[in-house]
Amino acid sequence: MFKEFGITVVAANVAPAVGQTRAIVTLERIIKRYGEPHARFVVMTLADTSNSKGTIDETTLWCVSDVLRAAKKNFPDLIENDTESWFQFWDSIPLGWLEFWCLDLEGIISKRHALAGMCYERLRRRFGDLAIQPDLLDDRRSAAA
Protein backbone atom coordinates (compact mmCIF):
# COMPACT_ATOMS: atom_id res chain seq x y z
CA MET A 1 0.00 0.00 0.00
CA PHE A 2 2.87 2.40 0.72
CA LYS A 3 4.27 1.78 -2.77
CA GLU A 4 0.88 2.59 -4.29
CA PHE A 5 1.17 6.11 -2.86
CA GLY A 6 4.84 6.62 -3.76
CA ILE A 7 6.20 5.93 -0.28
CA THR A 8 9.36 3.84 -0.11
CA VAL A 9 9.77 1.32 2.69
CA VAL A 10 13.29 1.32 4.12
CA ALA A 11 14.99 -1.14 6.44
CA ALA A 12 14.58 -0.77 10.20
CA ASN A 13 18.20 0.39 10.60
CA VAL A 14 17.78 3.23 8.06
CA ALA A 15 16.63 6.72 9.04
CA PRO A 16 13.73 7.47 6.67
CA ALA A 17 13.91 10.55 4.46
CA VAL A 18 10.95 12.48 3.03
CA GLY A 19 8.60 10.03 1.34
CA GLN A 20 10.08 7.04 3.15
CA THR A 21 8.95 4.94 6.09
CA ARG A 22 9.90 1.87 8.04
CA ALA A 23 6.50 1.53 9.74
CA ILE A 24 5.23 -1.46 7.76
CA VAL A 25 4.17 -3.34 10.92
CA THR A 26 2.18 -0.30 12.09
CA LEU A 27 0.30 -0.22 8.79
CA GLU A 28 -0.44 -3.93 9.12
CA ARG A 29 -1.84 -3.33 12.62
CA ILE A 30 -4.07 -0.50 11.39
CA ILE A 31 -5.35 -2.73 8.56
CA LYS A 32 -6.03 -5.57 10.99
CA ARG A 33 -7.87 -3.30 13.45
CA TYR A 34 -9.80 -0.94 11.12
CA GLY A 35 -9.67 -2.48 7.66
CA GLU A 36 -7.90 -1.76 4.41
CA PRO A 37 -10.08 1.16 3.24
CA HIS A 38 -9.40 3.01 6.51
CA ALA A 39 -5.66 2.31 6.28
CA ARG A 40 -5.61 3.40 2.63
CA PHE A 41 -7.18 6.75 3.60
CA VAL A 42 -4.59 7.18 6.38
CA VAL A 43 -1.68 6.53 4.02
CA MET A 44 -3.24 8.73 1.34
CA THR A 45 -3.58 11.54 3.89
CA LEU A 46 0.12 11.44 4.74
CA ALA A 47 1.30 10.82 1.18
CA ASP A 48 -0.85 13.40 -0.59
CA THR A 49 -0.33 16.31 1.77
CA SER A 50 2.97 18.08 1.31
CA ASN A 51 3.27 19.13 4.94
CA SER A 52 2.96 15.54 6.21
CA LYS A 53 5.00 13.47 3.77
CA GLY A 54 8.22 14.08 5.68
CA THR A 55 7.09 12.21 8.76
CA ILE A 56 5.48 8.86 8.07
CA ASP A 57 6.16 6.76 11.11
CA GLU A 58 4.34 4.78 13.79
CA THR A 59 3.23 7.88 15.70
CA THR A 60 1.90 9.81 12.71
CA LEU A 61 0.18 6.79 11.14
CA TRP A 62 -1.70 6.08 14.38
CA CYS A 63 -2.38 9.78 14.90
CA VAL A 64 -3.99 10.20 11.48
CA SER A 65 -5.92 6.96 12.03
CA ASP A 66 -7.25 8.21 15.37
CA VAL A 67 -8.13 11.68 14.04
CA LEU A 68 -9.79 10.12 10.99
CA ARG A 69 -11.97 7.96 13.23
CA ALA A 70 -12.90 11.01 15.33
CA ALA A 71 -13.63 13.06 12.20
CA LYS A 72 -15.89 10.32 10.80
CA LYS A 73 -17.84 10.40 14.05
CA ASN A 74 -17.98 14.15 14.64
CA PHE A 75 -17.65 15.61 11.12
CA PRO A 76 -18.97 12.87 8.80
CA ASP A 77 -19.71 15.31 5.98
CA LEU A 78 -16.04 16.33 5.92
CA ILE A 79 -14.87 12.78 5.23
CA GLU A 80 -17.75 11.71 2.98
CA ASN A 81 -18.31 14.86 0.90
CA ASP A 82 -15.40 17.27 1.36
CA THR A 83 -12.18 15.29 1.33
CA GLU A 84 -10.41 18.20 -0.33
CA SER A 85 -10.86 20.20 2.88
CA TRP A 86 -9.53 17.20 4.86
CA PHE A 87 -6.34 17.22 2.80
CA GLN A 88 -6.05 21.01 2.97
CA PHE A 89 -6.33 20.74 6.75
CA TRP A 90 -3.39 18.29 6.91
CA ASP A 91 -1.43 20.54 4.54
CA SER A 92 -1.98 23.45 6.90
CA ILE A 93 -0.67 21.93 10.13
CA PRO A 94 3.01 21.51 10.99
CA LEU A 95 2.76 17.77 11.71
CA GLY A 96 6.52 17.28 11.97
CA TRP A 97 6.89 20.07 14.53
CA LEU A 98 3.93 18.84 16.54
CA GLU A 99 5.43 15.35 16.63
CA PHE A 100 8.79 16.82 17.62
CA TRP A 101 7.16 18.59 20.59
CA CYS A 102 5.74 15.23 21.68
CA LEU A 103 9.26 13.87 22.17
CA ASP A 104 9.29 15.59 25.57
CA LEU A 105 6.50 13.21 26.60
CA GLU A 106 8.56 10.03 26.14
CA GLY A 107 7.89 7.74 29.08
CA ILE A 108 5.14 9.99 30.45
CA ILE A 109 2.21 9.63 28.06
CA SER A 110 1.68 8.16 24.62
CA LYS A 111 3.11 10.37 21.86
CA ARG A 112 0.43 8.95 19.56
CA HIS A 113 -2.39 10.18 21.77
CA ALA A 114 -0.76 13.53 22.50
CA LEU A 115 -0.19 14.19 18.80
CA ALA A 116 -3.72 13.09 17.92
CA GLY A 117 -5.07 15.44 20.60
CA MET A 118 -3.12 18.38 19.18
CA CYS A 119 -4.29 17.60 15.65
CA TYR A 120 -7.89 17.05 16.70
CA GLU A 121 -7.93 20.36 18.56
CA ARG A 122 -6.90 22.06 15.31
CA LEU A 123 -9.48 20.06 13.34
CA ARG A 124 -12.19 21.06 15.81
CA ARG A 125 -11.22 24.74 15.55
CA ARG A 126 -11.37 24.60 11.78
CA PHE A 127 -14.52 22.55 11.27
CA GLY A 128 -16.33 22.71 14.60
CA ASP A 129 -17.85 25.28 16.90
CA LEU A 130 -15.10 27.57 18.23
CA ALA A 131 -17.35 28.99 20.93
CA ILE A 132 -17.65 25.78 22.94
CA GLN A 133 -14.53 26.19 25.08
CA PRO A 134 -11.95 28.70 23.89
CA ASP A 135 -8.49 28.76 25.36
CA LEU A 136 -8.10 31.51 27.96
CA LEU A 137 -4.99 32.75 26.19
CA ASP A 138 -6.41 32.37 22.70
CA ASP A 139 -6.12 35.45 20.45
CA ARG A 140 -9.33 34.46 18.66
CA ARG A 141 -11.33 34.94 21.84
CA SER A 142 -10.23 38.55 22.25
CA ALA A 143 -10.84 39.24 18.56
CA ALA A 144 -14.43 38.01 18.85
CA ALA A 145 -15.17 40.20 21.89
Side-chain angles (χ1 to χ4, degrees), residues 50-86:
S50 58
N51 215 15
S52 304
K53 197 169 187 172
T55 177
I56 303 170
D57 59 18
E58 178 182 19
T59 303
T60 58
L61 284 164
W62 277 116
C63 165
V64 173
S65 175
D66 294 340
V67 174
L68 175 59
R69 289 179 25 250
K72 284 181 179 179
K73 177 183 175 194
N74 298 307
F75 308 106
D77 193 55
L78 173 65
I79 303 304
E80 298 299 322
N81 300 316
D82 194 10
T83 53
E84 184 175 335
S85 290
W86 169 262

Side-chain angles (χ1 to χ4, degrees), residues 2 32 38 69 72 76-77 80 88 91-92 138:
F2 283 130
K32 185 177 179 181
H38 174 86
R69 289 179 25 250
K72 284 181 179 179
D77 193 55
E80 298 299 322
Q88 288 172 352
D91 265 334
S92 72
D138 194 338

Side-chain angles (χ1 to χ4, degrees), residues 7 10 16 30 37 41-42 45 65 71 74 83 91 108 112 115 117 121 124-125 129 136 138-139:
I7 299 168
V10 296
I30 291 171
F41 203 83
V42 168
T45 297
S65 175
N74 298 307
T83 53
D91 265 334
I108 300 168
R112 163 193 172 179
L115 183 59
E121 187 265 348
R124 179 96 187 174
R125 285 178 178 269
D129 182 2
L136 292 174
D138 194 338
D139 290 337

Side-chain angles (χ1 to χ4, degrees), residues 90-138:
W90 287 99
D91 265 334
S92 72
I93 64 172
L95 188 63
W97 277 108
L98 295 176
E99 183 180 19
F100 178 72
W101 292 340
C102 289
L103 293 177
D104 292 346
L105 302 171
E106 185 74 42
I108 300 168
I109 61 170
S110 162
K111 292 180 290 190
R112 163 193 172 179
H113 295 114
L115 183 59
M118 287 190 279
C119 292
Y120 183 73
E121 187 265 348
R122 289 166 185 249
L123 183 82
R124 179 96 187 174
R125 285 178 178 269
R126 181 145 173 204
F127 299 105
D129 182 2
L130 291 176
I132 292 176
Q133 185 178 347
D135 186 338
L136 292 174
L137 302 175
D138 194 338

